[in-house]
Amino acid sequence: MSKKWSMFALSLTLLSGSLTACSSGSDSAKAPSGGNGDNKPAKLKIGIGTEGLQYIEGSPNINDDKYTKKLRELSKTDVTLDLIPHREFDQKLTLLFAGGELPDLLQTHGINKPEVAPAVDTGILIPLNDLIDKYGPNLKKNISKEAWDFASVSKDGKIYGIPTTNPTPNGNVMMVRKDWLDKLGLKPPKTVDEYIDMLRAFRDKDPNGNGKADEIPYSGREKLAFTEAFFGAYDVLPADWKFENGQLVPNMIRPQMKTALGVYKKLYEEKLLDNEVFVQQAKDWDAKIKAKGIVGLWTHAARMADKWSAEVKTGTPSAQLEVIPAPTGPDGKGGFGIGSQVGGNVWVIPKTTKNPQAAIQFLDWFYSDEAQKFLTYGLEGEDYTVDNGKINYKFPQKQDEIYKEEMHQNWLRLVGPSYLTNNEFMKARPSGDLVLKAIDLANKEGRKNDGMGMPALPTLQSRPELGKDGLWLELAAKIVTGKESVDAFDKFVEDWKKRGGDQVIKEATEWYKSTHK
């Protein structure tokens, strides 16, 4: 066992212990009050994204779901979940803030995101400092100062959001069909060239054994999502930034990006990369990997390695999963972006909320022992039984059971520590060791983002097309699919700078120098 892994395991143990200590006694979360002196449960309308999860998007009415009902019962809060489609999440938030009816509690991906930042500046979102001090003892104790001060959570010393937290800052790893590697006599690849050789073998040598040339070597989702590994090999993860030559510059315009796009163009042309990668929805991506069993390599969250291991068997019972290091580039390094302990979701409260106290108390409840037991184990009698005080959890095996578990373990866990911090649960979990291996791997690789924590830049707020999902994505799609030459990148950089990019770099550099003295 490596020293680094030992420290990680120790941190999980300490976090689990601190949770027990803080969620008992005088700081135990109290039920939100309706505010009318009638002891009725407070009503909260919550705007929450579907995250592309099959259980959520397939529900005829998420508010009639048994887990939602249990959430109401245990939290003593009359919760109504207002779903925001995953594919339209950013656009829907923009429309909501522009004049739609806002929920009482709203999921965002950070107050510094272009679709959210104007709502902070115009007073649509309320500061939460005093409310947290008065009604959120568990939030205050368990969320670190670093997380509260992060740009996606606070601005000018005022807290505008309640953050989720990450058990590990590096989220994604490479997942490969180990049975395919074994059948073809291949060792896990390391470099970009070795990865390409492996993908060609997946394409040409019928590793699924059905006699058809139907294998998709590497697959991802729309907008190149979950395919960033080869960008990482060249240290140009598209959403990240690098401080060089006295300036903070977006990776999407750095010279190495041109090389990386050339690699993706080759992968696409040779059908080593799924040719539907710019438009493919989550459900179709899932079906290719799981039900059809025709994908050899993909990228996803380290914490979900056990779920993927089980899910690939639903379509191919003999399938085996392995997690492997991301491809390394010319400098011998690779991996995905090294993130923050602050998670991807930040919960905000609009000024139209009639009972913000109840919203804070509701989120504070998630740190209670009661909440953690429900979110980790689900429903007694259905997901687990109790024998002499010991919980016997029914670990999921079928696909629908896996989707159902994701609902209560992750989607409904609005804030609070992950089930990954529950050592007893993880030790008993089938393939729990694969999850721990994936997390260890994620912690050993990755690329530093010098723009980590940067607030929404004024020019990017007014000119969102200058961001990753604007002009750059349009160019990347044209180059990768062969509609444009790789040399089109040079003109893109020139045009990007003229259209406001130079001002973006100036603003980013001023922020960086002011915070990295």
Side-chain angles (χ1 to χ4, degrees):
M1 181 180 291
S2 69
K3 180 179 179 183
K4 187 169 185 177
W5 171 243
S6 298
M7 291 302 294
F8 173 73
L10 176 61
S11 70
L12 292 187
T13 303
L14 292 174
L15 178 55
S16 181
S18 66
L19 170 63
T20 302
C22 77
S23 59
S24 305
S26 60
D27 283 336
S28 182
K30 298 178 181 179
S33 167
N36 299 317
D38 53 11
N39 291 323
K40 289 184 178 180
K43 291 187 176 183
L44 281 182
K45 182 178 180 182
I46 302 176
I48 181 172
T50 65
E51 306 290 351
L53 298 176
Q54 290 84 348
Y55 185 95
I56 312 304
E57 296 187 343
S59 173
N61 186 344
I62 201 67
N63 286 296
D64 283 341
D65 182 86
K66 54 194 170 187
Y67 294 102
T68 306
K69 290 179 178 178
K70 194 65 175 180
L71 175 68
R72 290 194 195 101
E73 175 192 333
L74 295 177
S75 68
K76 298 178 176 60
T77 309
D78 188 0
V79 169
T80 300
L81 302 178
D82 191 6
L83 298 182
I84 304 173
H86 180 62
R87 297 186 69 200
E88 305 166 11
F89 188 84
D90 293 345
Q91 301 94 309
K92 291 291 186 182
L93 286 195
T94 300
L95 291 173
L96 279 172
F97 287 130
E101 182 181 345
L102 289 165
D104 301 308
L105 184 63
L106 177 63
Q107 178 188 16
T108 74
H109 294 150
I111 68 166
N112 56 343
K113 294 295 183 181
E115 64 276 7
V116 184
V120 174
D121 297 334
T122 56
I124 294 176
L125 302 179
I126 63 172
L128 306 176
N129 303 60
D130 293 342
L131 287 165
I132 293 168
D133 286 343
K134 191 171 183 180
Y135 302 110
N138 289 326
L139 296 171
K140 193 170 182 179
K141 281 190 174 183
N142 286 277
I143 299 175
S144 70
K145 185 178 185 301
E146 177 190 344
W148 287 125
D149 291 343
F150 205 66
S152 65
V153 176
S154 295
K155 182 176 182 179
D156 300 330
K158 295 180 179 180
I159 297 170
Y160 288 94
I162 308 294
T164 53
T165 53
N166 290 322
T168 175
N170 299 353
N172 291 328
V173 292
M174 303 300 292
M175 299 183 181
V176 69
R177 284 283 297 270
K178 182 179 182 298
D179 53 312
W180 286 19
L181 289 177
D182 292 345
K183 181 177 180 180
L184 302 181
L186 298 174
K187 294 181 179 179
K190 295 179 180 179
T191 66
V192 169
D193 288 341
E194 289 175 357
Y195 258 86
I196 291 174
D197 288 342
M198 178 190 72
L199 296 176
R200 285 173 176 155
F202 285 174
R203 179 195 63 193
D204 299 335
K205 297 185 178 181
D206 192 29
N208 67 9
N210 67 358
K212 302 176 183 178
D214 59 350
E215 288 87 351
I216 299 174
Y218 185 31
S219 186
R221 280 158 47 174
E222 59 184 338
K223 298 181 180 180
L224 281 176
F226 297 108
T227 66
E228 297 93 342
F230 293 95
F231 289 117
Y234 295 92
D235 197 15
V236 283
L237 293 163
D240 293 355
W241 298 68
K242 182 71 65 176
F243 186 74
E244 55 187 6
N245 302 320
Q247 290 185 312
L248 187 61
V249 181
N251 281 342
M252 61 185 180
I253 69 162
R254 294 175 63 222
Q256 296 91 326
M257 176 58 76
K258 184 176 180 179
T259 305
L261 287 172
V263 171
Y264 279 86
K265 181 181 177 70
K266 176 192 288 189
L267 294 172
Y268 188 93
E269 286 176 345
E270 294 191 27
K271 291 185 168 51
L272 304 178
L273 176 65
D274 193 331
N275 278 194
E276 295 182 344
V277 73
F278 285 98
V279 296
Q280 185 155 253
Q281 296 183 43
K283 61 181 179 62
D284 300 316
W285 180 64
D286 267 19
K288 289 178 180 178
I289 298 172
K290 301 168 187 174
K292 296 180 181 179
I294 57 175
V295 176
L297 179 74
W298 64 96
T299 302
H300 210 254
R303 67 173 177 81
M304 293 180 66
D306 57 338
K307 288 183 171 63
W308 281 104
S309 179
E311 287 176 317
V312 295
K313 294 179 184 295
T314 58
T316 310
S318 61
Q320 292 180 298
L321 178 71
E322 184 60 280
V323 294
I324 58 176
T328 56
D331 64 355
K333 300 177 182 178
F336 304 91
I338 298 174
S340 162
Q341 64 173 276
V342 176
N345 293 329
V346 176
W347 297 90
V348 299
I349 301 177
K351 67 178 181 181
T352 52
T353 299
K354 295 180 179 179
N355 191 355
Q357 166 190 337
I360 295 296
Q361 290 177 312
F362 173 67
L363 292 178
D364 195 68
W365 169 81
F366 279 81
Y367 280 90
S368 67
D369 289 338
E370 176 185 57
Q372 290 302 309
K373 179 181 177 182
F374 162 57
L375 296 169
T376 298
Y377 295 102
L379 302 173
E380 183 173 0
E382 179 169 339
D383 301 311
Y384 71 92
T385 57
V386 180
D387 184 15
N388 293 325
K390 181 182 177 181
I391 293 178
N392 297 309
Y393 183 65
K394 300 175 184 177
F395 291 101
Q397 296 180 344
K398 299 179 181 178
Q399 185 69 77
D400 61 333
E401 295 171 343
I402 295 169
Y403 288 158
K404 184 177 68 170
E405 184 186 58
E406 180 73 4
M407 156 69 160
H408 66 81
Q409 279 190 351
N410 291 296
W411 190 75
L412 274 186
R413 196 184 297 266
L414 272 57
V415 294
S418 168
Y419 66 90
L420 296 172
T421 64
N422 186 326
N423 284 338
E424 181 181 356
F425 178 80
M426 290 303 296
K427 287 177 181 178
R429 188 171 184 82
S431 298
D433 57 337
L434 185 64
V435 175
L436 299 179
K437 178 181 178 181
I439 291 174
D440 184 40
L441 175 60
N443 283 332
K444 289 177 177 177
E445 61 184 17
R447 294 292 192 174
K448 181 184 178 184
N449 175 17
D450 291 331
M452 179 65 63
M454 183 166 58
L457 301 174
T459 300
L460 283 180
Q461 289 186 56
S462 61
R463 302 290 302 277
E465 72 274 11
L466 297 174
K468 177 184 76 72
D469 287 345
L471 297 172
W472 179 83
L473 184 62
E474 182 180 329
L475 170 87
K478 290 178 179 179
I479 289 178
V480 173
T481 61
K483 294 182 175 64
E484 291 274 7
S485 161
V486 176
D487 290 333
F489 176 78
D490 300 321
K491 187 173 188 306
F492 156 76
V493 174
E494 182 182 337
D495 290 346
W496 183 87
K497 290 182 176 181
K498 289 179 179 178
R499 294 176 67 162
D502 280 333
Q503 181 62 25
V504 170
I505 292 174
K506 179 182 177 183
E507 293 167 2
T509 302
E510 289 175 351
W511 165 81
Y512 184 88
K513 290 183 175 180
S514 69
T515 55
H516 294 74
K517 295 179 180 179

